[in-house]
């Protein structure tokens, strides 16, 4: 029993953090509330098991990453080097988190962290280095390379597109968690998200003449 107590406590803290980070925000939730929700008597339990709030957050996101990588990996291997197909693989993988309350909470959390991916500097966050998600980003960027966008604009647009997907998924997750009725069914929502994200990425360069 003693050997299992450490992993069990870590898992309880992660589950509690998922619930509170999703509801109150990554920076708004109090660690003491995480500890209490996890049923732990030691107020320093987060520091003991994870080192810090950041360590706990990384553990939450690592679990979410493992789940989506299992879906994204095969989709990415099968996808052609075509923008719509690659965006479709991304949206399908992210949507797999909509199936459970745990995944829905993690979608709400990860949307708060989209600016930390490292896309704008081409330096992946340590949790993304070597992942299918980062390979997907690189393949999408390669598809856009021939569009004539200046590199800073291309990277900024790619980061924006990923932020849009994350925000849309987080809002859908919120509706499911709240029991709200979405305006569209899920199939239409996902298809439209793929289409609008692809269109965003393919938008004409600002200032480009639209007239002959």
């Amino acid at each position: 029993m003693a050997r299992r107590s450490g992993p069990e406590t870590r898992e309880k803290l992660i589950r509690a953090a998922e619930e509170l980070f999703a509801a109150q925000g990554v920076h708004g939730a109090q660690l003491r509330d995480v500890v209490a929700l996890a049923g732990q008597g030691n107020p320093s339990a987060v520091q003991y098991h994870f080192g810090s709030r950041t360590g706990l957050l990384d553990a939450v996101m690592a679990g979410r990453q493992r789940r989506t990588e299992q879906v994204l990996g095969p989709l990415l291997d099968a996808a052609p080097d075509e923008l719509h197909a690659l965006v479709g693989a991304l949206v399908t993988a992210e949507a797999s988190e909509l199936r459970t309350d745990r995944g829905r909470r993690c979608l709400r959390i990860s949307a708060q962290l989209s600016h930390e991916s490292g896309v704008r500097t081409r330096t992946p966050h340590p949790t993304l280095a070597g992942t299918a998600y980062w390979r997907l980003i690189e393949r999408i960027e390669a598809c856009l390379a021939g569009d004539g966008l200046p590199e800073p604009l291309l990277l900024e647009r790619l980061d924006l597109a990923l932020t849009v997907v994350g925000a849309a998924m987080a809002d859908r997750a919120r509706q499911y968690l709240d029991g709200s009725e979405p305006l569209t069914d899920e199939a239409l929502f996902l298809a439209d998200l793929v289409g609008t994200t692809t269109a965003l990425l393919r938008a004409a360069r600002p200032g480009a003449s639209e007239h002959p």
Side-chain angles (χ1 to χ4, degrees):
M1 181 66 69
R3 291 185 177 181
R4 293 198 301 270
S5 62
E8 288 175 357
T9 299
R10 283 176 59 89
E11 182 62 18
K12 288 177 180 177
L13 289 166
I14 288 171
R15 291 292 189 120
E18 289 170 353
E19 185 170 339
L20 293 179
F21 286 171
Q24 300 175 12
V26 167
H27 302 294
Q30 299 296 311
L31 292 185
R32 63 174 178 271
D33 294 335
V34 172
V35 171
L37 184 60
Q40 301 304 303
N42 181 358
S44 300
V46 169
Q47 286 77 8
Y48 178 80
H49 288 279
F50 301 98
S52 64
R53 176 188 296 266
T54 298
L56 176 58
L57 181 59
D58 285 347
V60 168
M61 289 294 94
R64 182 254 204 274
Q65 189 72 31
R66 283 193 297 271
R67 294 192 299 273
T68 52
E69 286 279 302
Q70 290 175 352
V71 178
L72 180 58
L75 292 174
L76 188 58
D77 290 342
D81 287 319
E82 188 274 321
L83 186 60
H84 190 274
L86 292 171
V87 173
L90 169 66
V91 169
T92 299
E94 293 291 285
S96 66
E97 286 287 87
L98 290 172
R99 303 281 71 78
T100 66
D101 281 355
R102 184 176 199 181
R104 294 163 186 168
R105 293 186 184 107
C106 286
L107 285 172
R108 297 196 66 190
I109 296 168
S110 57
Q112 302 173 54
L113 308 172
S114 61
H115 63 286
E116 298 180 7
S117 65
V119 169
R120 297 187 183 210
T121 61
R122 291 201 180 93
T123 305
H125 186 278
T127 60
L128 297 178
T131 62
Y133 184 80
W134 195 260
R135 294 198 303 275
L136 173 67
I137 289 171
E138 292 176 329
R139 288 179 64 181
I140 291 176
E141 182 186 344
C143 286
L144 299 173
D147 288 0
L149 295 175
E151 182 176 308
L153 180 59
L154 186 155
L155 294 174
E156 193 168 65
R157 183 178 290 187
L158 177 54
D159 193 43
L160 174 61
L162 295 171
T163 299
V164 167
V165 170
M169 288 290 178
D171 186 60
R172 193 78 175 194
R174 177 193 59 77
Q175 293 176 72
Y176 288 174
L177 288 167
D178 292 348
S180 305
E181 184 68 28
L183 290 174
T184 59
D185 64 49
E186 191 170 298
L188 179 57
F189 162 72
L190 297 177
D192 188 60
L193 184 56
V194 173
T196 54
T197 303
T198 302
L200 184 160
L201 289 167
R202 285 292 191 207
R205 176 179 175 176
S209 175
E210 297 181 359
H211 305 285

